[in-house]
Amino acid sequence: MDTRERLVALDKQYVWHPYTEMSRYRERAQPLVIAGARGSRLYDVDGRSYLDGNASWWTALLGHGHPRVVAALKAQAEALCHVSLAGMTHEPAAELAAELVARAPEGQNHVFFSDNGSTAIEAAMKMAVQYWYQNGRPSRRRFLALEGAFHGDTIGVTALGGVEVFRRPFAGLLLDCVHVAPSDLGATRALDTLERLIASEADTLAAVVLEPCVQAAAGMRLYDPRALTQVRELCTRHDVFLIADEVFTGYGRTGPMWACDHAAVRPDITCVAKGFTAGTLPMAATLVTDRIFEGFLGEKSRAFYYGHTFCGNPLGARVALEVLRIYRDEQVLEKAAVKAQRIAAAFAEFRELPGVTRTRSLGMIGALDLDETGGYLSEAGWRVYEQALARGAYLRPLGNVVYITPPLTIADQDLDELLEILAASVRAAAD
Ligand SMILES: *Cc1c(COP(=O)(O)O)cnc(C)c1O
């Protein structure tokens, strides 16, 4: 047996894959068996290369194996791999928190570390509820979120989520949330509705939670940044917290460092993960204002009794610190702005491809809808996926939505190749 066959056999016997129906996987899937990655390319065990069209689930914003990231990780591993943040600190956590606050939306002055996007949001939810509990508004325990939202997979954040197939089995178990349609946010009448909702629920709402500007998992759905301004105003007027889930959008995915920057909106809580370590290690942060931080001071019972074992992990923190420095030293955002224009131009043309009903782009995101209903469970995107694999690109779809979210640092010729493969694959899949 060659290496590929051996690994696939072990995998199919033992590994339960995320977001995967396993019987079909076992029968039919021919998974990529990846042995290495550099820049925007993945290499399989047979030496074939694939352009990483989604930056490995939206994380590898600096490409794979950035030499400074690898060097920082090696040096940190030699010095200190892990200690807890209980009663101690270390250079990576302290330096990272300071640097992150310096780059964060204004007013986000304190950093709580965790391991992944879901926990970053989960921590934010608990902070909001506990804040109100001990600061005079204990009835505020509900959340308002957007239809189609995705905030992760733990039970708490599943309640916020609006992707129906993901929530259905847990109906009844989930926290009570109010969902509103993002498409409505820009419209005056809907804003009236939202305003009335927030006003009437002001006694029960702990926070509004949203993915600013783009709902990624819902199918790269964009909405008008002006809606953010309006939601911010409503939250301020009724003194409800605004939690910005920048897990996907942060670190320049949509252009500026934060998607909230499109509307100069300052959240009360900002959640960061995915690009935080540029796809190297699981690491996340929840940033808060002075007001929220101070709401936990005083009596011992007011403390935030929450903390994952690996929070502030030195390896992750050191890498995350290096990532911020690379953003600065290599002008990552400035250079990505030029690439974003190529993506915008290409996706405008993709409107003419067979079977395509709509296209859109924002920053380093380009997406198109195929003419098929069925949403997340649609097979249409998977036909394009197969075609793209054969042509050397990994273009995992979201149902009938085919998209690219490449590393922000993708080389121009790689980006051109990725766009060409996408177009050719859509054409071939339509035949
Ligand atoms: C991926 C994602 C999450 C969850 O992050 P995990 O690290 O997968 O737990 C939360 N919010 C958004 C917007 C995401 O894209």
Side-chain angles (χ1 to χ4, degrees):
M1 244 195 253
D2 70 6
T3 309
R4 166 194 298 282
E5 279 174 42
R6 192 175 66 81
L7 295 177
V8 170
L10 288 174
D11 172 87
K12 289 196 172 179
Q13 186 168 356
Y14 296 112
V15 180
W16 188 347
H17 286 264
Y19 285 94
T20 302
E21 196 287 298
M22 290 301 294
S23 68
R24 289 193 327 167
Y25 175 86
R26 281 177 150 183
E27 278 159 33
R28 291 193 234 157
Q30 294 173 308
L32 294 181
V33 183
I34 298 301
R38 268 283 170 284
S40 298
R41 285 180 194 271
L42 312 174
Y43 296 91
D44 73 7
V45 284
D46 302 320
R48 269 190 63 113
S49 91
Y50 301 88
L51 286 163
D52 187 355
N54 75 7
S56 290
W57 257 354
W58 315 337
T59 61
L61 301 192
L62 299 176
H64 296 275
H66 191 293
R68 280 181 60 180
V69 169
V70 174
L73 179 58
K74 280 185 181 160
Q76 187 58 44
E78 298 278 355
L80 170 68
C81 286
H82 186 65
V83 286
S84 77
L85 274 188
M88 53 183 111
T89 192
H90 46 76
E91 187 175 333
E95 297 268 12
L96 168 62
E99 193 110 1
L100 185 59
V101 165
R103 294 299 295 271
E106 209 183 316
Q108 301 284 264
N109 291 343
H110 306 272
V111 181
F112 188 89
F113 290 116
S114 66
D115 326 334
N116 60 69
S118 306
T119 57
I121 316 287
E122 191 90 25
M125 293 170 78
K126 282 191 154 184
M127 283 170 182
V129 169
Q130 188 177 337
Y131 177 91
W132 295 121
Y133 170 78
Q134 58 201 30
N135 291 281
R137 308 289 298 266
S139 59
R140 291 186 148 184
R141 309 158 63 85
R142 300 170 79 203
F143 294 89
L144 188 142
L146 301 185
E147 280 170 17
F150 178 78
H151 298 287
D153 290 329
T154 56
I155 287 276
V157 303
T158 297
L160 299 174
V163 181
E164 181 52 25
V165 260
F166 301 167
R167 356 175 346 119
R168 201 178 298 142
F170 309 104
L173 262 188
L174 302 176
L175 297 178
D176 180 18
C177 286
V178 187
H179 282 96
V180 294
S183 55
D184 289 348
L185 288 183
T188 328
R189 227 186 67 228
L191 262 172
D192 291 345
T193 317
L194 185 66
E195 161 125 56
R196 254 180 286 130
L197 198 60
I198 294 184
S200 69
E201 293 298 327
D203 257 350
T204 69
L205 278 184
V208 173
V209 188
L210 47 76
E211 296 159 89
C213 300
V214 45
Q215 296 187 287
M220 299 297 157
R221 288 200 217 151
L222 308 181
Y223 63 88
D224 190 336
R226 279 173 299 184
L228 287 179
T229 316
Q230 295 162 334
V231 172
R232 173 69 273 182
E233 279 170 18
L234 291 178
C235 286
T236 304
R237 194 176 315 150
H238 299 285
D239 196 26
V240 169
F241 292 141
L242 177 62
I243 301 176
D245 176 352
E246 294 260 14
V247 168
F248 167 74
T249 51
Y251 280 63
R253 174 54 72 194
T254 72
M257 186 70 173
W258 311 104
C260 280
D261 294 344
H262 285 290
V265 154
R266 295 194 211 161
D268 298 286
I269 305 183
T270 303
C271 301
V272 187
K274 298 227 160 91
F276 194 31
T277 61
T280 311
L281 288 164
M283 177 94 181
T286 305
L287 291 98
V288 302
T289 55
D290 291 337
R291 176 188 177 192
I292 293 177
F293 181 76
E294 285 162 12
F296 290 77
L297 305 180
E299 295 295 309
K300 262 182 125 173
S301 63
R302 292 172 68 85
F304 190 46
Y305 288 108
Y306 185 109
H308 293 284
T309 309
F310 282 98
C311 70
N313 170 257
L315 295 172
R318 180 64 188 88
V319 166
L321 177 61
E322 195 66 19
V323 166
L324 282 173
R325 291 177 177 164
I326 293 169
Y327 267 68
R328 185 192 57 208
D329 297 345
E330 298 185 1
Q331 287 140 19
V332 171
L333 300 184
E334 293 78 354
K335 290 182 185 160
V338 183
K339 300 176 204 295
Q341 287 172 7
R342 289 168 109 92
I343 293 178
F347 275 80
E349 285 177 16
F350 291 166
R351 179 67 187 80
E352 306 306 323
L353 290 172
V356 171
T357 54
R358 273 198 321 159
T359 69
R360 55 201 168 278
S361 63
L362 177 69
M364 290 297 281
I365 306 166
L368 58 84
D369 296 348
L370 295 172
D371 184 11
E372 186 171 311
T373 49
Y376 187 80
L377 299 182
S378 161
E379 290 294 322
W382 291 102
R383 291 192 283 274
V384 176
Y385 172 84
E386 293 296 337
Q387 293 291 339
L389 272 191
R391 292 171 170 77
Y394 174 73
L395 284 177
R396 192 181 160 90
L398 289 157
N400 66 326
V401 179
V402 175
Y403 70 93
I404 60 166
T405 51
L408 304 192
T409 54
I410 187 171
D412 288 344
Q413 75 233 41
D414 286 346
L415 180 56
D416 287 346
E417 189 180 334
L418 184 63
L419 292 165
E420 275 161 29
I421 291 177
L422 190 151
S425 303
V426 170
R427 273 192 210 99
D431 272 349

